[in-house]
Amino acid sequence: LCAAHWGELTAASEFRCPRLLVVVQEWVAYIKKQTSCPCVAVNSHSRESIKELLNAVQTRIKEIKNGENNCTATALLVGIPNVGKSAIVNAMHQIGRIAAAEKGKLKHAIVSSHPGETRDISGYKVASHPNIYVLDTPGVLSPRFANDGSGPRLALTGAIKDSLLEEYDIVQFLLAIVNSGKEYRKWEKLNKAGDTFSCGKTITSRGHNNEGQYASDHTQDFVVKVVRQVLFETVSCFNGDLGQVDELRRLIGHQLVNLQEVFKVSTESSEDMCKPIAMKLLNLYRTGRLGHYTLEHVPDVRQEVVA
């Protein structure tokens, strides 16, 4: 069974974005064509999605066991680091145990936003009739990147430690994706509020001194709003050619300067400011606060045949 959790392909853990849903469906169709296995796109935060996965596993087990219900089967959950394997097994375990009306304290796999937290293989019962156990395993990854684009993509999704690449390279890659996509266009309405930013002007904060709001906390809604606003206006006002690497880098440099003020990063050199800005932007990206993005497009089967 190929259960695709799309953390490695997108920044989103949910399929609420219509465009993202289309891309996920395209990937599912592509994988089904390339393999003989069933493929299910999984959102570990959706009960319906987990139930679909459980049903797919149960159906496959019954096929293997010739419809027998009084049997025991074990499924192995494998994948690259930090794509939600433990979150999936927890959700399957919880729903499966509740459905089976079994008593006792539920075990929980360790879930973390950092890669490498799962160190041992652990088993969890996820269904009865037939009895099905799922083994949660540590993430596995090739010791070498397949191509030059693999490293930044893996770093963006958190599959490898951020320290393995330069923070400036990671944030450049992220902003290149934002600037080259269409997601930022959804933030145009933020400018009509007349809050905080305008092209070519210094960022000012207005109305952000309410109780419970801290400008140093980049996860606050009003800070995220300004970040989106800055990204929208800097791209919209840019008169260079984003298809040219030097021009794209010039835009990214301008964005980093403005985001330094938004994130309240006080440093003396551009190198010093990059790391805290990168960490905050990556956090917003990985939690979906900067929108939904696909890091890898479905291969063109026709081109593969020609090659």
Side-chain angles (χ1 to χ4, degrees), residues 24-34 39:
V24 170
Q25 291 172 339
E26 290 176 350
W27 269 109
V28 170
Y30 175 80
I31 293 173
K32 286 181 177 180
K33 288 181 179 179
Q34 300 299 310
C39 180

Side-chain angles (χ1 to χ4, degrees), residues 43-46 50 54 86-96:
N43 175 2
S44 60
H45 302 287
S46 167
I50 294 298
L54 275 171
S86 295
I88 289 176
V89 76
N90 279 340
M92 292 177 70
H93 181 47
Q94 183 182 37
I95 293 175

Side-chain angles (χ1 to χ4, degrees), residues 239-250:
N239 55 11
D241 182 1
L242 293 180
Q244 299 294 324
V245 176
D246 291 341
E247 291 291 285
L248 181 58
R249 286 177 177 172
R250 181 163 68 89

Side-chain angles (χ1 to χ4, degrees), residues 15-288:
F15 306 145
R16 293 176 296 181
C17 175
R19 181 183 58 80
L20 180 61
L21 178 58
V22 171
V23 176
V24 170
Q25 291 172 339
E26 290 176 350
W27 269 109
V28 170
Y30 175 80
I31 293 173
K32 286 181 177 180
K33 288 181 179 179
Q34 300 299 310
T35 69
S36 58
C37 296
C39 180
V40 179
V42 179
N43 175 2
S44 60
H45 302 287
S46 167
R47 287 182 63 88
E48 293 304 316
S49 180
I50 294 298
K51 285 181 180 179
E52 182 182 0
L53 175 60
L54 275 171
N55 289 336
V57 173
Q58 289 174 319
T59 299
R60 183 59 179 155
I61 295 300
K62 289 180 179 179
E63 289 176 354
I64 296 174
K65 298 293 184 178
N66 297 319
E68 183 181 350
N69 281 328
N70 296 323
C71 64
T72 299
T74 302
L76 190 66
L77 188 61
V78 296
I80 69 173
N82 210 28
V83 291
K85 295 186 298 297
S86 295
I88 289 176
V89 76
N90 279 340
M92 292 177 70
H93 181 47
Q94 183 182 37
I95 293 175
R97 288 287 293 270
I98 292 174
E102 294 190 8
K103 305 293 183 179
K105 185 177 180 181
L106 292 174
K107 295 192 299 180
H108 291 281
I110 298 175
V111 176
S112 172
S113 59
H114 303 289
E117 291 297 324
T118 302
R119 300 179 183 276
D120 300 309
I121 298 177
S122 301
Y124 302 85
K125 187 175 182 179
V126 299
S128 298
H129 311 296
N131 295 318
I132 301 176
Y133 293 83
V134 170
L135 298 181
D136 186 23
T137 64
V140 291
L141 194 62
S142 170
R144 294 182 179 85
F145 297 142
N147 53 61
D148 293 339
S150 297
R153 288 189 181 95
L154 291 170
L156 276 185
T157 60
I160 61 175
K161 294 181 179 179
D162 297 332
S163 59
L164 294 180
L165 295 177
E166 294 291 336
E167 287 83 3
Y168 187 70
D169 292 336
I170 300 175
V171 76
Q172 270 201 322
F173 189 78
L174 170 57
L175 289 176
I177 291 173
V178 173
N179 296 332
S180 302
K182 298 179 180 179
E183 189 75 10
Y184 74 89
R185 298 177 185 176
K186 298 179 181 179
W187 305 331
E188 181 177 8
K189 61 183 179 180
L190 298 177
N191 299 327
K192 298 178 181 179
D195 278 333
T196 55
F197 183 75
S198 181
C199 290
K201 296 182 180 179
T202 303
I203 298 172
T204 59
S205 297
R206 185 157 61 91
H208 293 164
N209 294 322
N210 296 335
E211 185 178 354
Q213 293 186 335
Y214 304 94
S216 59
D217 182 2
H218 68 282
T219 64
Q220 294 264 334
D221 288 342
F222 75 89
V223 177
V224 176
K225 178 181 177 181
V226 180
V227 171
R228 292 175 175 177
Q229 192 172 2
V230 166
L231 293 176
F232 172 81
E233 288 211 13
T234 50
V235 181
S236 301
C237 295
F238 187 67
N239 55 11
D241 182 1
L242 293 180
Q244 299 294 324
V245 176
D246 291 341
E247 291 291 285
L248 181 58
R249 286 177 177 172
R250 181 163 68 89
L251 170 60
I252 291 174
H254 180 56
Q255 290 174 321
L256 290 175
V257 171
N258 285 294
L259 290 172
Q260 177 184 3
E261 195 166 348
V262 174
F263 288 140
K264 305 298 180 184
V265 175
S266 177
T267 54
E268 296 181 356
S269 69
S270 58
E271 292 182 359
D272 292 335
M273 80 171 185
C274 183
K275 184 172 182 177
I277 291 176
M279 293 300 100
K280 291 180 179 183
L281 265 182
L282 284 173
N283 175 259
L284 296 182
Y285 170 83
R286 290 167 179 166
T287 55

Side-chain angles (χ1 to χ4, degrees), residues 277-303:
I277 291 176
M279 293 300 100
K280 291 180 179 183
L281 265 182
L282 284 173
N283 175 259
L284 296 182
Y285 170 83
R286 290 167 179 166
T287 55
R289 305 296 294 280
L290 293 184
H292 304 82
Y293 302 88
T294 298
L295 300 183
E296 207 168 339
H297 297 286
V298 180
D300 190 330
V301 178
R302 292 169 299 180
Q303 292 182 0

